Amino acid sequence: DGDVYKYYSDGEWKVSNSAKTVSIINPTTRKTQYKVQACTQEEVNNTMESANAAQKSWAKTPLWKRAELLHKAAAVLKEHKKPIAECLVKEIAKPAKDAVTEVVRSGDLVSYCAEEGLRILGEGKFLVSDSFPGNERNKYCFTSKIPLGVVLAIPPFNYPVNLAVSKIAPALIAGNSLVLKPPTQGAVAALHMVHCFHLAGFPKGLISCVTGKGSEIGDFLTMHPRVNCISFTGGDTGVAISKKAGMIPLQMELGGKDACIILEDADLDLAASNIVKGGFSYSGQRCTAVKVVLVMESVADDIVKKVNEKVAKLTVGPPEDDCDITPVVTESSANFIEGLVMDARQKGATFCQEYKRQGNLIWPLLLDNVRPDMRIAWEEPFGPVVPVIRINSIEEGINHCNASNFGLQGCVFTRDINKAMLISDAMETGTVQINSAPARGPDHFPFQGLKDSGIGSQGITNSINMMTKIKTTVINLP
Ligand code: G3P
């Protein structure tokens, strides 16, 4: 009935006193695959105390030593890519090849973070006073970057390893300790990843991983007085967290409705392959997935035909077989997607493929002639369904994009760079990709959303900076 995993706190693997576990359901078999500990609030308290104590001496550990340990963790992580990827396949039905890629990308991220940390934390600023009116040159100001304390990391199910290390590595290099609350689906992959940090030899308490039900420890964690920073990636829960959290820096990435605008002069083959890659990889369960295509009427038939030809070639089935389309993460997620599809059917969208579902597995579907009164025009399915809205002007496309409450990324396909730049300026999103599908990586690029898509900016450099505070010392000359 599923292996039971311990949680990790104060440098040790522990069984919770609650005597309760949380089951992780394999999305493909829909049977319990693993179980993790349902930690108690007292166990969270103990973890926070140990994280707080560990941080004090870690902050005094030379930067190069912190970097060395991170490099070691990166190497161990890459050595363990196979067993970790296997968990991703079983817990979140990520196609086998993509699961391995996620772990390797995570190792690279950790190493890059160590390097970047050495550079940006290794330098400060020096200011003199006489540039401000009324001052003599008698004050010398030195700045440096100091850690915040305990960082709480809450990654989502779609990248339980990568979106955990994208928070862990910046936190640690900057001298913080870190408490990880992994998503339920993906918790075991996350525990394996944390084990790699354990093997690398980080001091006890510096990194911990508490598992359990959000209803039991979610608010308790996010409102915990020991937490000095929260880095969260996920859905609506982020909005609730931002309202409850105390006076601490928040980094949030909360979904999107990334639009793909296609102009008349676009390379349609390029656009079609990016719609398929952007819309259907990991079955559309990415916040940066293409979630609405806005195409000029004159090229709409062509683009729909080209996309359909590619959709027909997508393989559908279990993640173990490396299929392109795999079961979505939970039954409730599949039900939600189905709700959007049925609403579109009822309101007259054109189904380019037959709608087909088996358990959590939903076949890829392109919906043409979607109109603004359909839910799918605005809501993110987080599944393998891509709506196409035909537009008659660029303005219509931009207006649709900007009417969304999300503003993560967007993309535009055109051969006219001037038009592309103007559209990029007009789109109210954190990033606009010209002639490619939205994507977060490479992982050192800034990554941010406007409006309901988030708070702050991620990417390696921005995350390191966000997890530090400026400290100044002023020498006052006589
Ligand atoms: O959904 C998570 C988001 O960060 C997407 O990342 O690499 O798939 O663009 P990526």
Side-chain angles (χ1 to χ4, degrees):
D1 195 21
D3 299 336
V4 187
Y5 283 79
K6 294 175 178 167
Y7 75 103
Y8 185 65
S9 170
D10 200 28
E12 281 171 31
W13 296 95
K14 298 178 179 176
V15 174
S16 170
N17 290 329
S18 71
K20 281 193 237 156
T21 56
V22 180
S23 297
I24 298 168
I25 312 292
N26 181 323
T28 312
T29 63
R30 301 206 285 167
K31 297 210 170 81
T32 299
Q33 183 76 40
Y34 308 117
K35 287 178 179 169
V36 291
Q37 306 297 316
C39 291
T40 63
Q41 298 188 348
E42 194 196 343
E43 286 157 350
V44 168
N45 277 337
N46 294 338
T47 302
M48 290 295 171
E49 287 316 311
S50 139
N52 181 57
Q55 193 270 328
K56 303 286 178 231
S57 44
W58 182 244
K60 296 196 181 87
T61 304
L63 189 49
W64 66 266
K65 276 196 186 169
R66 292 187 224 151
E68 218 169 64
L69 274 176
L70 280 169
H71 279 304
K72 205 161 163 206
V76 180
L77 193 56
K78 285 189 180 178
E79 276 164 30
H80 289 233
K81 66 180 181 212
K82 266 187 126 175
I84 299 175
E86 264 167 42
C87 296
L88 293 171
V89 169
K90 302 288 181 211
E91 287 183 279
I92 61 162
K94 184 164 275 198
K97 228 195 281 138
D98 296 349
V100 175
T101 307
E102 173 172 347
V103 185
V104 175
R105 174 183 179 182
S106 301
D108 290 338
L109 191 155
V110 174
S111 291
Y112 195 106
C113 215
E115 295 296 327
E116 185 72 350
L118 285 179
R119 306 289 162 253
I120 64 175
L121 300 168
E123 56 184 41
K125 261 187 171 179
F126 169 58
L127 295 89
V128 288
S129 49
D130 63 341
S131 55
F132 198 86
N135 282 276
E136 298 299 319
R137 198 183 179 89
N138 63 342
K139 290 174 187 286
Y140 292 168
C141 177
F142 298 87
T143 76
S144 64
K145 286 173 186 152
I146 56 166
L148 298 175
V150 179
V151 175
L152 173 65
I154 310 181
F157 80 84
N158 61 353
Y159 289 93
V161 175
N162 185 266
L163 282 171
V165 302
S166 74
K167 305 171 190 312
I168 294 170
L172 296 187
I173 192 66
N176 301 286
S177 60
L178 188 124
V179 176
L180 173 68
K181 163 65 180 76
T184 296
Q185 306 287 141
V188 175
L191 288 165
H192 272 76
M193 175 272 296
V194 167
H195 186 56
C196 297
F197 282 77
H198 172 81
L199 293 174
F202 281 87
K204 73 179 184 114
L206 193 71
I207 172 167
S208 330
C209 184
V210 290
T211 52
K213 285 218 161 72
S215 53
E216 190 101 352
I217 55 167
D219 281 356
F220 192 73
L221 275 163
T222 54
M223 295 165 75
H224 202 283
R226 280 282 186 223
V227 170
N228 304 109
C229 170
I230 302 174
S231 180
F232 174 94
T233 306
D236 295 345
T237 324
V239 179
I241 292 175
S242 71
K243 288 184 182 142
K244 289 181 199 157
M247 204 178 69
I248 54 171
L250 301 178
Q251 188 181 46
M252 301 247 159
E253 195 241 296
L254 316 177
K257 184 71 183 169
D258 293 6
C260 173
I261 300 183
I262 301 171
L263 305 194
E264 281 152 327
D265 71 340
D267 177 338
L268 296 183
D269 290 308
L270 179 72
S273 43
N274 274 277
I275 291 169
V276 173
K277 183 169 137 264
F280 295 105
S281 5
Y282 188 36
S283 306
Q285 298 173 109
R286 296 164 53 238
C287 46
T288 49
V290 168
K291 295 202 181 105
V292 58
V293 175
L294 302 161
V295 57
M296 291 295 276
E297 181 65 60
S298 62
V299 290
D301 285 342
D302 283 351
I303 203 83
V304 166
K305 185 167 167 272
K306 284 178 193 290
V307 172
N308 280 335
E309 281 165 9
K310 291 179 196 296
V311 168
K313 290 189 189 132
L314 294 174
T315 53
V316 182
E320 286 84 354
D321 295 352
D322 234 348
C323 289
D324 298 311
I325 303 295
T326 54
V328 297
V329 69
T330 56
E331 188 170 342
S332 64
S333 175
N335 292 343
F336 176 78
I337 298 162
E338 184 163 299
L340 293 180
V341 171
M342 292 310 144
D343 174 79
R345 165 167 288 162
Q346 198 204 335
K347 291 173 184 160
T350 308
F351 279 54
C352 299
Q353 294 77 23
E354 188 195 335
Y355 173 68
K356 206 170 151 197
R357 171 180 170 186
Q358 230 168 57
N360 292 5
L361 186 61
I362 292 177
W363 270 251
L365 178 62
L366 190 74
L367 296 174
D368 194 4
N369 296 304
V370 165
R371 289 190 323 261
D373 65 326
M374 300 176 191
R375 287 176 57 202
I376 192 109
W378 305 104
E379 294 179 46
E380 49 170 353
F382 238 69
V385 182
V386 176
V388 176
I389 297 181
R390 294 166 176 242
I391 54 173
N392 291 303
S393 68
I394 295 176
E395 288 66 35
E396 205 182 321
I398 292 170
N399 288 344
H400 184 91
C401 167
N402 291 352
S404 170
N405 55 330
F406 291 117
L408 190 59
Q409 293 207 357
C411 62
V412 51
F413 286 86
T414 171
R415 288 189 170 92
D416 184 335
I417 190 65
N418 297 329
K419 273 192 191 152
M421 288 307 295
L422 289 172
I423 291 171
S424 171
D425 281 348
M427 282 170 96
E428 292 166 4
T429 62
T431 299
V432 174
Q433 305 268 354
I434 297 172
N435 292 326
S436 186
R440 170 169 49 115
D443 292 336
H444 65 304
F445 281 12
F447 180 52
Q448 57 281 317
L450 305 185
K451 299 189 261 186
D452 287 354
S453 287
I455 303 176
S457 177
Q458 302 180 72
I460 289 172
T461 315
N462 286 342
S463 290
I464 296 173
N465 282 325
M466 183 265 176
M467 292 174 184
T468 59
K469 190 149 193 157
I470 304 285
K471 163 84 187 241
T472 61
T473 302
V474 181
I475 298 180
N476 290 273
L477 301 175

